[in-house]
Amino acid sequence: MTRQRALILDIMRQQRPLHLTADEIFCHARQQMPHIARGTVYRNLKMMERDGEVAHLEMAGGPDRYDCNPVPHGHLLCDSCGELSDLPVVGLMREVEAAIGTEVRGYTLTIHYLCPKCRAKNAQ
């Protein structure tokens, strides 16, 4: 593993439970490795996604984000503040496989809601 790739993975693990954008990862990386190029971060993220080390989360209406947990799971997205958090969905793949009669390789599940902070703010 290259130093750059190890740094990117370390940044993502340190920032958990946040799901960072590539630019956010780049900004953190520059603090520790000032000469790292933006393209290096993007290329490494693409390779890490291909190799199953990270998950790429396409976000409608906003920049894509990355998750250092590549195991299929859902996400909760606050429609007000944009906070994205993990949602463990135990058994979903098994249920879908049973319903369709074939293997499921993965899924993307994003549930839109208002987080507790935004609900409290709206209630005032």
Side-chain angles (χ1 to χ4, degrees):
M1 179 179 292
T2 66
R3 285 182 22 239
Q4 293 88 346
R5 192 165 173 164
L7 174 62
I8 291 166
L9 195 54
D10 189 47
I11 289 167
M12 292 177 70
R13 287 178 177 152
Q14 287 176 7
Q15 296 297 315
R16 270 192 80 107
L18 298 178
H19 299 78
L20 301 174
T21 67
D23 282 337
E24 290 170 332
I25 294 167
F26 171 66
C27 289
H28 285 284
R30 292 259 348 233
Q31 292 173 1
Q32 296 178 51
M33 193 179 286
H35 298 296
I36 193 168
R38 185 181 306 271
T40 300
V41 171
Y42 278 81
R43 270 190 311 280
N44 275 281
L45 285 169
K46 195 171 286 275
M47 287 188 294
M48 293 165 77
E49 176 190 1
R50 180 198 66 210
D51 295 344
E53 293 177 77
V54 301
H56 175 213
L57 307 172
E58 293 182 25
M59 305 303 298
D64 292 356
R65 300 188 196 182
Y66 290 86
D67 191 340
C68 65
N69 178 6
V71 176
H73 60 280
H75 291 94
L76 294 169
L77 176 63
C78 179
D79 287 331
S80 181
C81 70
E83 179 181 322
L84 186 68
S85 56
D86 286 346
L87 172 68
V89 188
V90 178
L92 178 62
M93 285 179 57
R94 284 190 306 273
E95 288 187 36
V96 173
E97 286 173 343
I100 64 174
T102 190
E103 176 189 10
V104 172
R105 295 174 142 181
Y107 62 88
T108 303
L109 173 65
T110 304
I111 296 176
H112 294 259
Y113 81 128
L114 288 178
C115 71
K117 292 177 196 171
C118 290
R119 271 197 321 269
K121 197 183 319 177
N122 287 345
Q124 295 174 349

